[in-house]
């Protein structure tokens, strides 16, 4: 990618719908190559296999003729978020900061979207956006022998690294080609995020980030560094952290270091330990996590309360009250 000092972004994930026929076209081939790394179909005896070969791609056109303004990217992030994207891949960037861009990223992450972006291809120690925004997973590029790619931009804001040199993927118009860049490394991380979310759709972006970062192979200086971040991604280890569960049975999502203070916080022992009154019941079919949930049947005039006293340890210096609830989207009689 090239950075423009006037606030435009070049060499991008570009997609267009041809006027009148709804046919998807890619002006530069960059978007096709990136999309293939994520989602090229698997087990079909053709070409390559994407890392998350069964996911759906939402192509959003950000640039016109290779150039786009921050407004275009902001609108694209909001559009993808509001239309159900769970992971946003941004194989693009610029050196100048945009407050609006950061607000758009935060909007997406606050609504459960994992946002991943390329660290840039300058080979220098400098800041590169949107990757450098705090809520974004910033991706550096490695070579086939796990060395940092010479072109990969460096900085304390880099989070993880992924393969980005001579990556074989789809070519616009058919066939396959090699390409290199942090643009190619980024979709490896986006695809891994998509796989983690597919194991447990209830995971929030910070949990997905944690599983990606805790699963890495540490390269370069021990610990986090300006070259690889915490290390090169290791999909097998991150997915093991996510834990493959029976479909419809998501994991508990307690934060790291969480200490359970409730007698029966997950309703595994029914309503024992809780003080219930009114219309409150136990359900073991439509659960949020674990094996059971409490629910309020609802209806006109229906009221119910569910309480439990929490005793805070005397030596506690701070804490976070963590709870989860769900409103049944299909309204099976639940409130």
């Amino acid at each position: 990618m090239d950075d423009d000092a006037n606030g435009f972004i070049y060499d991008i994930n570009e997609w267009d719908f041809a006027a009148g026929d709804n046919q998807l076209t890619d002006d530069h081939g960059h978007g096709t190559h990136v999309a293939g790394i994520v989602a090229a179909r698997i087990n079909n005896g053709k070409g390559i296999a994407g890392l998350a070969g069964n996911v759906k791609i939402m192509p959003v056109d950000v640039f016109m003729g290779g150039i786009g303004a921050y407004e275009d990217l902001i609108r694209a992030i909001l559009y993808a978020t509001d239309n159900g994207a769970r992971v946003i891949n941004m194989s693009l960037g610029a050196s100048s900061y945009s407050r609006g861009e950061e607000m758009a990223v935060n909007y997406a992450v606050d609504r459960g979207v994992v946002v991943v972006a390329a660290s840039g291809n300058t080979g220098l120690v400098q800041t590169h956006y949107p990757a450098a925004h705090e809520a974004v997973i910033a991706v550096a590029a490695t070579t086939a022998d796990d060395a940092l790619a010479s072109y990969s931009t460096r900085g304390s804001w880099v989070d993880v690294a992924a393969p980005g040199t001579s990556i074989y993927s789809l070519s616009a118009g058919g066939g396959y080609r090699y390409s290199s860049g942090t643009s190619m490394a980024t979709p490896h991380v986006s695809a891994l995020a998509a796989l983690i979310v597919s194991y447990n759709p209830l995971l929030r972006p910070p949990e997905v980030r944690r599983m990606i970062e805790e699963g890495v192979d540490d390269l370069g200086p021990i610990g986090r560094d300006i070259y690889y971040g915490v290390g090169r991604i290791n999909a097998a280890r991150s997915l093991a952290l996510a834990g493959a569960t029976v479909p419809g049975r998501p994991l508990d999502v307690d934060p790291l270091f969480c200490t359970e203070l409730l007698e029966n916080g997950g309703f595994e022992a029914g309503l024992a330990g809780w003080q219930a009154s009114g219309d409150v019941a136990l359900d073991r079919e439509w659960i949020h996590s674990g094996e059971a949930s409490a629910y309020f049947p609802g209806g006109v005039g229906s009221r119910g309360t569910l309480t439990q006293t929490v005793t805070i340890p005397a030596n506690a210096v701070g804490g976070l009250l963590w709870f989860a609830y769900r409103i049944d989207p299909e309204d099976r009689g639940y409130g």
Side-chain angles (χ1 to χ4, degrees), residues 266-267 270-271 274 280-283 286 292-296 306 326:
F267 303 104
L271 297 179
W274 292 86
V280 184
L282 186 73
D283 182 68
W286 297 98
S293 292
Y295 77 90
F296 299 85
L306 190 62
R326 125 183 204 189

Side-chain angles (χ1 to χ4, degrees), residues 67-186:
I67 302 176
Y70 281 113
E71 180 183 358
D72 301 321
L73 182 57
I74 290 167
R75 289 180 180 275
I77 294 170
L78 300 183
Y79 175 88
T81 300
D82 292 343
N83 284 276
R86 293 302 310 274
V87 180
I88 293 178
N89 181 92
M90 292 190 286
S91 290
L92 48 80
S95 59
S96 51
Y97 169 81
S98 163
R99 172 65 173 158
E101 180 186 81
E102 184 174 24
M103 291 176 68
V105 165
N106 291 343
Y107 177 89
V109 174
D110 288 346
R111 284 154 182 78
V113 182
V114 180
V115 181
V116 187
S119 69
N121 300 330
T122 67
L124 304 174
V125 178
Q126 66 180 81
T127 309
H128 192 81
Y129 297 101
H133 295 313
E134 184 176 356
V136 176
I137 301 176
V139 185
T142 59
T143 65
D145 58 1
D146 265 349
L148 184 73
S150 60
Y151 52 79
S152 190
T153 304
R154 301 101 197 269
S156 59
W157 46 271
V158 172
D159 295 307
V160 296
T165 302
S166 297
I167 303 300
Y168 196 56
S169 185
L170 309 183
S171 179
Y176 308 88
R177 66 184 177 90
Y178 291 95
S179 190
S180 299
T182 56
S183 285
M184 285 65 247
T186 303

